């Protein structure tokens, strides 16, 4: 089982849940391929509850946050977690990649996203917060 948090970057603009089915299929394949390349070899998908943080770093093309989530969550099924129903908590954001950021604990994946110079999606999976504590 991989250590959490685990993260990956997918270059490009995410497909919206409201977009064409062919565009969603291509985007889900891109997300799945990036996850397969980054997921530790021979490690099975997680079977416990998780927190997912998904951030789209855009270049003049912001999306509605909620419309980008489902295709990404679906693409990780069977790779990172058994089923996206395991996501008990989710954080999502849209940021302009051209703006300055303060980053603490920069991961290699996130650094690669910023160094790409274009739009990208950063996906981070970690253990969920205590269910007894309200946000």
């Amino acid at each position: 089982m991989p250590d959490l948090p685990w993260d990956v970057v997918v270059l490009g603009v995410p497909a919206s849940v409201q977009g064409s089915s062919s565009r969603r299929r291509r985007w889900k394949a891109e997300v799945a391929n990036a996850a397969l390349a980054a997921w530790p070899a021979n490690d099975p998908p997680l079977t416990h509850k998780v927190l997912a943080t998904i951030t789209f770093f855009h270049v003049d093309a912001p999306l509605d946050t909620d419309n980008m989530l489902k295709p990404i969550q679906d693409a990780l099924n069977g790779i990172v977690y058994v089923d996206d129903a395991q996501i008990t908590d989710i954080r999502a954001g849209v940021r302009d990649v051209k703006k300055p950021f303060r980053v603490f604990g920069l991961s290699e994946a996130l650094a690669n996203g910023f160094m790409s110079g274009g739009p990208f999606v950063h996906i981070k999976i970690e253990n969920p917060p205590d269910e007894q504590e309200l946000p």
Side-chain angles (χ1 to χ4, degrees):
M1 177 151 343
D3 292 330
L4 295 182
W6 171 88
D7 68 337
V8 67
V9 160
V10 186
L11 301 180
V13 177
S16 171
V17 73
Q18 296 175 337
S20 73
S21 61
S22 62
R23 172 74 176 108
R24 279 194 317 275
R25 253 190 325 276
R26 284 192 310 272
W27 175 248
K28 286 170 66 173
E30 289 178 41
V31 173
N33 288 335
L36 283 167
W39 194 251
N42 302 318
D43 275 5
L46 300 170
T47 58
H48 58 79
K49 296 174 182 178
V50 297
L51 159 68
T53 303
I54 301 171
T55 308
F56 172 39
F57 291 89
H58 69 87
V59 178
D60 300 324
L63 290 175
D64 287 349
T65 306
D66 59 330
N67 289 336
M68 74 170 177
L69 296 177
K70 190 62 177 158
I72 294 169
Q73 293 171 315
D74 288 347
L76 300 178
N77 283 334
I79 301 168
V80 176
Y81 37 71
V82 174
D83 188 272
D84 60 352
Q86 293 166 239
I87 301 172
T88 59
D89 295 83
I90 191 155
R91 296 179 186 145
V94 177
R95 303 287 186 269
D96 185 338
V97 75
K98 296 180 293 184
K99 296 210 174 175
F101 295 96
R102 285 188 309 261
V103 181
F104 302 96
L106 181 68
S107 71
E108 183 178 345
L110 188 55
N112 289 337
F114 284 119
M115 289 182 349
S116 75
F120 68 93
V121 174
H122 179 240
I123 304 163
K124 183 177 178 182
I125 303 295
E126 54 194 315
N127 289 315
D130 182 339
E131 290 181 351
Q132 301 298 314
E133 293 180 24
L134 296 177

